[in-house]
Amino acid sequence: MTDTLTDTSGDTGPEPAYPIDRSPRCPFSPPAGLRELQSTAPLRKVQLWDGSGAWLVTRYEELRALAQDPRISSDILRPGYPHVGVGSLERARRQTLFISMDDPAHARLRRLVTAPFAVKRIQAMRPEIQRLVDELIDTMLAGPCPANLVREFALPLPSLVICRLLGVPYADHAFFQRNSAALLNRNSADQATEAQRVLMDYLDQLVGEKLARPADDLLSALATGQVAAGLLERRELTAIAILLLVAGHETTANMISLGTLALLRHPDQLDALRATDDPARVAAAVEELLRHLTIVQSGLRRVALEDIEIGDRVIRAGEAVILAIDAANHDAAVFSEPDRLDLGRDARHHVAFGYGVHQCLGQQLARVELQVVYSTLYRRVPTLRLAADPTELPYKHDSIVYGVHELPVAW
Amino acid sequence: MRVTLHQDKCVASGQCVLAAQDVFDQRDEDGVAVLLDDNPPAEAHDDVRHAAAVCPALAITLAES
Ligand code: SF4
């Protein structure tokens, strides 16, 4: 590793800005500049939106090592933490989510909500998810063609599922779908801060209702089991609810729409997926799409607690570190021909869900939703095609989670 | 092969269960992994190695014999 960390062209000169924009002509691939840094300077100081610096980690091996290194902190309130955009610190002061905390505070909160996301519990939801997918397809096919796949299908599915699991009334979906998306915008402080405020109010009121009239859902269980017993503060439960609601929406929805777009642009891969009814091959396809697309596009944010030596570089205590999972998932040392979408490859060791103790809690739910979608949608709608120029789609360049705002499709 | 599972490190990601269903399971109450077989048969070894490699919390250690 050391030899590649010596000065090369990408390693000198002014610090490049991060995040790096995708090329407008190639909105679909990881930014070329990111790949360039990966090959020339796998550990590189970059400059963030506020002028501060951070170490950008782009290679798989170093990324995995750092993601589970106890000398690395996820504490968003710690000085030196690399904020994703304007307003981020202010929002964190108002309400910190357990993804932005270190153990033991993180572990205490996370463990409260892990049970419903266990593999077997999620697999038991498969028939219900299948029913929802079929219903949404029926509704879309009965409506006007072309349709916007994001609005008619990709967003409603995860929304319905997470609402049921949490016990959030789906009738309010327009409201929280809009605010979930706004909360992830990294450029507009006003929008994101206002979205946080209204979601906090909404969910706090909902927690109050669960305390008064519990139902069979996760928020009720936590309200009556933990909050009522004084083991969890009400504002902590509200923060958990926001985290799960927002994370449950944007991620899976973008994987459904962006995944569909990727498959429509790779007809041979789509045909192969359509032709199989082997659950193992569908599961493998889901892992490859997760790797290939890696929709979390502004890296995992960390700050060093101690000096950490990597090759001939030292990350100093207090310095910011950004783990670029999108780059790591396209590391040719680990995934051969990484830019090729190959549904037959074994991509299970990708880091699209992160790595280390903060690895995505909802990953098994996401997997089952995507497996059902990818094995149903294209078979039930074999003529599904894009009804827009792929280079002109509204891509989510300014969001923490990449995707498309709209995906016009016809059949 | 001897498998050791450090439950105190487990973050309940379920990766081990996906990789090797006959060797790992998760507790109903909190999703923390449980070891079903600390000496799995040879045909499970690849899956168990994969489980140890993808465990995000490095909670699974193997002693190959
Ligand atoms: S893979 Fe690791 S962290 Fe995840 S459930 Fe298994 S032991 Fe726990």
Side-chain angles (χ1 to χ4, degrees):
Chain A
M1 188 182 72
T2 325
D3 56 345
T4 53
L5 286 180
T6 51
D7 277 355
T8 56
S9 54
D11 208 7
T12 52
E15 291 174 5
Y18 183 84
I20 299 168
D21 291 339
R22 290 172 203 252
S23 150
R25 282 180 36 242
C26 197
F28 205 51
S29 302
L34 192 60
R35 309 300 308 284
E36 208 174 294
L37 284 187
Q38 184 180 45
S39 57
T40 55
L43 192 65
R44 174 67 155 102
K45 268 279 177 78
V46 291
Q47 198 180 66
L48 305 185
W49 59 278
D50 59 351
S52 65
W55 289 101
L56 185 70
V57 184
T58 48
R59 278 214 239 163
Y60 183 89
E61 193 188 324
E62 286 90 353
L63 183 142
R64 286 227 312 188
L66 281 169
Q68 49 83 26
D69 192 317
R71 296 170 295 175
I72 287 275
S73 165
S74 295
D75 184 352
I76 193 169
L77 298 175
R78 189 175 279 278
Y81 182 94
H83 289 276
V84 77
V86 58
S88 149
L89 178 61
E90 190 191 325
R91 287 191 295 282
R93 281 208 186 102
R94 250 199 256 196
Q95 186 175 56
T96 29
L97 309 173
F98 64 74
I99 51 168
S100 312
M101 297 176 186
D102 289 333
D103 288 343
H106 156 259
R108 171 184 160 251
L109 294 172
R110 178 174 167 128
R111 283 210 171 185
L112 290 175
V113 288
T114 42
F117 295 97
V119 173
K120 285 185 180 156
R121 293 273 288 273
I122 295 296
Q123 277 171 357
M125 290 170 70
R126 192 182 284 268
E128 170 76 356
I129 293 171
Q130 182 71 57
R131 202 178 57 71
L132 290 171
V133 166
D134 283 322
E135 276 175 19
L136 286 167
I137 294 174
D138 289 341
T139 310
M140 185 177 85
L141 293 181
C145 173
N148 173 7
L149 189 90
V150 175
R151 197 182 54 215
E152 304 302 331
F153 182 76
L155 195 51
L157 176 70
S159 189
L160 282 158
V161 172
I162 197 69
C163 283
R164 268 184 211 192
L165 209 148
L166 288 177
V168 172
Y170 187 71
D172 299 333
H173 67 103
F175 162 80
F176 52 71
Q177 284 171 359
R178 189 174 62 241
N179 286 296
S180 292
L183 196 57
L184 293 174
N185 187 301
R186 64 179 179 227
N187 295 334
S188 169
D190 294 350
Q191 255 191 48
T193 305
E194 176 62 10
Q196 181 198 35
R197 194 186 61 74
V198 296
L199 280 173
M200 275 169 70
D201 288 350
Y202 173 81
L203 288 164
D204 180 69
Q205 198 188 334
L206 188 63
V207 166
E209 282 166 27
K210 301 287 177 193
L211 277 165
R213 278 177 304 281
D216 182 20
D217 56 57
L218 181 60
L219 292 186
S220 295
L222 291 171
T224 54
Q226 303 283 331
V227 176
L231 300 169
L232 183 70
E233 289 174 37
R234 180 162 163 165
R235 57 172 187 84
E236 291 179 308
L237 181 53
T238 307
I240 288 174
I242 289 193
L243 177 57
L244 300 187
L245 188 65
V246 173
H249 267 94
E250 282 298 307
T251 47
T252 312
N254 285 312
M255 272 305 298
I256 293 171
S257 43
L258 204 61
T260 298
L261 179 57
L263 289 165
L264 290 173
R265 302 194 69 197
H266 292 82
D268 55 323
Q269 298 293 310
L270 180 54
D271 285 346
L273 179 59
R274 219 185 250 133
T276 187
D277 46 20
D278 177 357
R281 290 184 62 181
V282 174
V286 166
E287 300 309 310
E288 168 65 352
L289 280 152
L290 286 163
R291 176 199 73 82
H292 187 75
L293 300 171
T294 318
I295 54 172
V296 173
Q297 61 171 347
S298 38
L300 312 178
R301 310 277 164 145
R302 303 288 188 264
V303 53
L305 296 173
E306 293 172 30
D307 291 359
I308 303 171
E309 230 176 279
I310 295 185
D312 60 356
R313 295 294 156 95
V314 182
I315 300 173
R316 299 278 171 209
E319 285 185 328
V321 180
I322 295 177
L323 307 174
I325 53 174
D326 46 353
N329 274 339
H330 283 253
D331 184 340
V334 180
F335 303 100
S336 64
E337 294 184 73
D339 297 339
R340 199 159 59 87
L341 178 68
D342 174 5
L343 301 188
R345 81 163 87 213
D346 181 1
R348 288 177 299 167
H349 50 302
H350 67 73
V351 287
F353 290 119
Y355 193 69
V357 297
H358 288 279
Q359 194 182 56
C360 176
L361 169 73
Q363 58 182 291
Q364 306 307 347
L365 179 58
R367 285 194 166 97
V368 171
E369 289 182 46
L370 294 173
Q371 287 164 6
V372 174
V373 167
Y374 292 158
S375 62
T376 307
L377 179 62
Y378 320 120
R379 290 180 134 195
R380 283 207 49 201
V381 195
T383 55
L384 190 77
R385 62 184 187 276
L386 202 56
D389 178 346
T391 60
E392 278 168 14
L393 291 172
Y395 290 91
K396 297 188 175 177
H397 290 294
D398 56 357
S399 176
I400 293 169
V401 181
Y402 192 58
V404 280
H405 290 286
E406 281 173 34
L407 188 65
V409 292
W411 51 88
Chain B
M1 175 192 273
R2 282 276 158 202
V3 186
T4 310
L5 174 69
H6 308 272
Q7 286 185 322
D8 51 325
K9 287 191 183 174
C10 171
V11 296
S13 70
Q15 297 272 63
C16 55
V17 184
L18 275 195
Q21 295 240 16
D22 296 333
V23 180
F24 302 98
D25 199 357
Q26 282 170 291
R27 280 200 306 238
D28 280 344
E29 326 80 89
D30 56 8
V32 166
V34 287
L35 193 55
L36 302 175
D37 185 354
D38 69 351
N39 184 14
E43 59 274 18
H45 286 187
D46 276 351
D47 289 345
V48 173
R49 279 186 210 110
H50 185 77
V54 293
C55 171
L58 302 184
I60 300 165
T61 47
L62 305 178
E64 306 262 1
S65 52

